[in-house]
Amino acid sequence: MLLQAKEPLRKMLSAATGYYGGLVQSYSLSAYGLRHSLSTSMKASRHFIPCKARSLSQFSCGGSSADQEIVIAMGSNVGDRVSTFDRALQMMKSSGVNITRHACLYETAPAYVTDQPRFLNSAIRGTTRLGPYELLKKLKEIEKDIGRTGGIRYGPRPIDLDILLYGNSQIHSETLIVPHERIHERPFVLAPLVDLLGTSCDDGIETSWHSFSKCSGGFFELWNKLGGESIIGTQGIKRVLPVGNHLLNWCERTLIMGILNLTPDSFSDGGKFQQVEAAISQVKLLISQGADIIDIGAQSTRPFAKRLSPKEEFERLIPILDEITKIPEIEGKLLSVDTFYAEVAAEAVKRGVHMINDVSGGQLDPGILKVAAELGVPYVIMHMRGDPSTMQSEKNLQYGDVCKEVASELYTQVREAELSGIPLWRIVLDPGIGFSKKSGDNIEVIAGLESIRREMGKMSIGASHVPILLGPSRKSFLREICDRANPVDLDAATVVAVTIGILNGANIVRVHNAGYCADAAKVCDALHKRRRWEN
């Protein structure tokens, strides 16, 4: 039986490798056999053996006796599409759907009827005790409440909610077909669906789902047949990050986040920008140098820094933030607040900030997760063990495989954020350069961003695709390598670190000197475009 399991498993992993465009490396089959028991291998083989579907007669219009894993597709091309998705998520939760995972957000060209606005598409994975027909009824009610009317088939609509998968069931009736009959031909459905899967072969329900694809490589193979990752970023389908009034295509070019520290004790420029005039001047300089985002922080997070109260941080931040939002140069730029306090984040967003950058990823003030979910803004989750006063302790500096452990710990935080109501399409990941890491660890992380994405993909394909923010600017590991005492003298070294990071998959770089790093990013982006063209 173990030998019989190997060939389907090989096909599955091969398909996953192709899906990632080479990002996921094939596992050694012999190593896999050593790591897994016979029972696990037998379980893996069932990915590609059609399972016995639950019969239609087992379902009524009433509820299910047990939680069922489900996948629901979402689409919208009329009105405020992002707000519509937010409303649909809340209404699904209120209707008996426990949302556990979100796919990325995709802007896609219309299919079938092409003379209409572009769509936003995504999907959610969750559990419900609603029976399939009861679930269908609830989804139709949500569509109607949001404003969907009859219209033409495949035509414009404010919301479209489809049951893609329901437990391990296959249903075929006049009113409901599960799995959805057109999954195989729709990139805008398959891309979000694949996001909700992992490359691990140990998930029982995913075993059933892959078998429904009728492909030996499961849904990964179906996605590859439609073009897979090679079509992402084309006019047909793009991953986007909703921020402010924009849908940001973070893969189109690297974004530059300029740092504004309003603290007296930051390691690089503490005390320089505590006065309004100096802060405004620095913001204007960063924007003139090419900054797309201004990240404003009023609390130092250097090693062993004393923690301010929310009130103290608020008093330092708000007067300067209010003035920054008034300057003409800020028009069209994004503002980020660097805080781990829920109440500071809420007030900053109220006053015009577009995103929250939390160095603790919700660990220092768990209330910030709920606030970020309610505010509907992008949320940066950074990797750090402990807090700034303990992050460089001997215990927090212990790693076996730093990239693997950073990925695993970040994913734990992603799960907490999603379960708190922050969709994956609003999450940005930061591996935390200089936080809970020795010099060598920082180098490994910068060079190993693709490895971090691969590890993420084993747990959630979607999580492996979210934007990565990298912040190596003037950090102490560069000072140790270059033997320079003045942080300003580390700008050249920062450019090198940023360049390596971008070439390995960073999408946003957080820097003090935006000019040098913006130029480096342009060169890296040009190299990326050449590689895509060659492929």
Side-chain angles (χ1 to χ4, degrees):
M1 184 65 74
L2 176 58
L3 293 175
Q4 291 174 349
K6 287 184 178 180
E7 186 57 30
L9 177 61
R10 193 193 308 274
K11 291 180 180 178
M12 166 76 169
L13 294 173
S14 175
T17 302
Y19 163 72
Y20 267 100
L23 189 57
V24 173
Q25 297 174 346
S26 297
Y27 294 87
S28 164
L29 195 57
S30 58
Y32 185 92
L34 289 172
R35 290 197 308 267
H36 288 68
S37 67
L38 178 61
S39 61
T40 301
S41 298
M42 291 170 64
K43 182 178 179 182
S45 73
R46 293 202 299 273
H47 271 287
F48 316 105
I49 300 173
C51 61
K52 182 178 180 181
R54 297 177 67 185
S55 67
L56 186 62
S57 62
Q58 288 179 272
F59 296 112
S60 66
C61 290
S64 170
S65 60
D67 286 338
Q68 297 291 328
E69 283 248 29
I70 58 172
V71 174
I72 297 172
M74 306 170 66
S76 173
N77 75 332
V78 173
D80 187 337
R81 300 168 296 173
V82 176
S83 294
T84 295
F85 271 22
D86 289 337
R87 187 178 172 194
L89 291 178
Q90 293 305 315
M91 294 176 77
M92 281 192 280
K93 292 175 185 177
S94 300
S95 299
V97 175
N98 176 37
I99 298 174
T100 57
R101 289 194 190 185
H102 308 75
C104 296
L105 190 64
Y106 296 84
E107 187 176 45
T108 64
Y112 310 117
V113 178
T114 58
D115 185 18
Q116 59 178 315
R118 292 176 67 84
F119 276 82
L120 281 188
N121 291 100
S122 191
I124 60 97
R125 179 171 172 176
T127 60
T128 188
R129 291 201 170 188
L130 298 171
Y133 293 99
E134 188 179 8
L135 176 60
L136 177 64
K137 181 182 177 183
K138 293 286 187 182
L139 296 181
K140 294 304 177 186
E141 289 173 354
I142 292 171
E143 290 180 342
K144 183 178 179 180
D145 287 346
I146 288 177
R148 181 171 179 179
T149 56
I152 63 172
R153 192 179 187 191
Y154 305 128
R157 68 210 67 174
I159 191 67
D160 190 13
L161 302 173
D162 287 323
I163 303 172
L164 298 184
L165 297 162
Y166 183 96
N168 61 359
S169 305
Q170 290 179 296
I171 304 169
H172 198 288
S173 70
E174 291 184 4
T175 56
L176 181 61
I177 298 176
V178 176
H180 195 281
E181 60 183 334
R182 294 189 180 273
I183 288 177
H184 67 283
E185 66 185 45
R186 296 177 172 181
F188 59 88
V189 173
L190 265 175
L193 171 57
V194 171
D195 280 347
L196 299 171
L197 306 175
T199 60
S200 169
C201 295
D202 294 337
D203 189 309
I205 192 63
E206 289 189 17
T207 298
S208 298
W209 291 350
H210 280 294
S211 73
F212 293 157
S213 71
K214 300 178 182 178
C215 288
S216 60
F219 285 114
F220 296 133
E221 184 175 331
L222 273 182
W223 175 230
N224 290 337
K225 286 181 177 179
L226 293 183
E229 280 298 291
S230 68
I231 67 172
I232 300 296
T234 65
Q235 283 302 307
I237 181 168
K238 302 176 181 179
R239 289 192 187 97
V240 291
L241 175 75
V243 50
N245 295 319
H246 307 281
L247 290 175
L248 209 59
N249 178 2
W250 69 88
C251 292
E252 195 170 45
R253 67 178 181 86
T254 305
L255 299 172
I256 307 299
M257 176 182 275
I259 300 169
L260 178 66
N261 286 320
L262 307 181
T263 57
D265 55 346
S266 289
F267 70 92
S268 172
D269 49 14
K272 289 186 177 181
F273 309 117
Q274 287 185 281
Q275 301 303 314
V276 171
E277 294 77 10
I280 294 294
S281 177
Q282 180 65 5
V283 169
K284 290 180 178 180
L285 174 62
L286 290 168
I287 291 173
S288 71
Q289 291 175 337
D292 303 288
I293 309 167
I294 303 297
D295 189 44
I296 308 172
Q299 170 127 224
S300 176
T301 52
R302 64 177 176 76
F304 312 111
K306 178 185 176 183
R307 188 187 302 189
L308 298 182
S309 68
K311 183 176 182 294
E312 291 172 313
E313 185 177 334
F314 181 86
E315 290 174 348
R316 186 183 287 174
L317 169 71
I318 296 304
I320 293 178
L321 173 62
D322 283 347
E323 294 304 312
I324 289 173
T325 59
K326 297 175 184 177
I327 64 174
E329 290 85 352
I330 208 68
E331 182 71 26
K333 303 299 179 180
L334 300 175
L335 289 173
S336 168
V337 62
D338 181 358
T339 186
F340 47 75
Y341 284 132
E343 58 189 282
V344 174
E347 189 62 30
V349 171
K350 176 183 174 183
R351 291 170 181 265
V353 163
H354 304 97
M355 59 192 299
I356 300 168
N357 182 11
D358 180 2
V359 297
S360 80
Q363 295 182 97
L364 297 183
D365 183 359
I368 200 170
L369 298 177
K370 183 179 179 182
V371 164
E374 292 174 347
L375 293 171
V377 296
Y379 179 65
V380 181
I381 297 174
M382 196 192 78
H383 176 267
M384 175 176 64
R385 292 173 172 175
D387 60 33
S389 68
T390 63
M391 64 184 184
Q392 295 302 108
S393 67
E394 184 176 353
K395 176 184 175 182
N396 286 330
L397 293 176
Q398 297 304 310
Y399 294 94
D401 182 325
V402 64
C403 289
K404 186 173 183 178
E405 289 173 50
V406 166
S408 176
E409 290 165 26
L410 272 176
Y411 183 64
T412 297
Q413 293 171 266
V414 169
R415 297 293 300 123
E416 291 175 359
E418 284 198 88
L419 292 173
S420 297
I422 304 175
L424 189 67
W425 63 70
R426 285 200 174 99
I427 290 176
V428 177
L429 295 180
D430 180 345
I433 301 301
F435 291 79
S436 310
K437 296 169 188 70
K438 293 175 284 192
S439 290
D441 297 329
N442 291 311
I443 294 294
E444 284 193 48
V445 168
I446 294 171
L449 295 181
E450 288 186 354
S451 174
I452 290 174
R453 287 196 188 274
R454 278 197 302 273
E455 291 298 326
M456 282 278 188
K458 295 176 185 177
M459 298 170 279
S460 163
I461 298 292
S464 73
H465 289 314
V466 304
I468 287 182
L469 185 155
L470 192 71
S473 187
R474 299 179 181 175
K475 293 286 175 71
S476 61
F477 79 100
L478 296 175
R479 183 177 68 243
E480 292 176 20
I481 293 171
C482 300
D483 192 23
R484 293 186 180 274
N486 190 341
V488 177
D489 293 335
L490 295 173
D491 283 348
T494 296
V495 169
V496 175
V498 161
T499 299
I500 295 170
I502 295 171
L503 293 177
N504 281 284
N507 308 108
I508 307 170
V509 290
R510 183 178 182 272
V511 295
H512 295 86
N513 189 319
Y516 291 161
C517 293
D519 287 345
K522 289 174 184 175
V523 175
C524 293
D525 292 344
L527 288 171
H528 278 313
K529 288 180 181 178
R530 180 176 177 81
R531 288 176 181 174
R532 285 196 296 269
W533 180 79
E534 289 175 345
N535 291 332

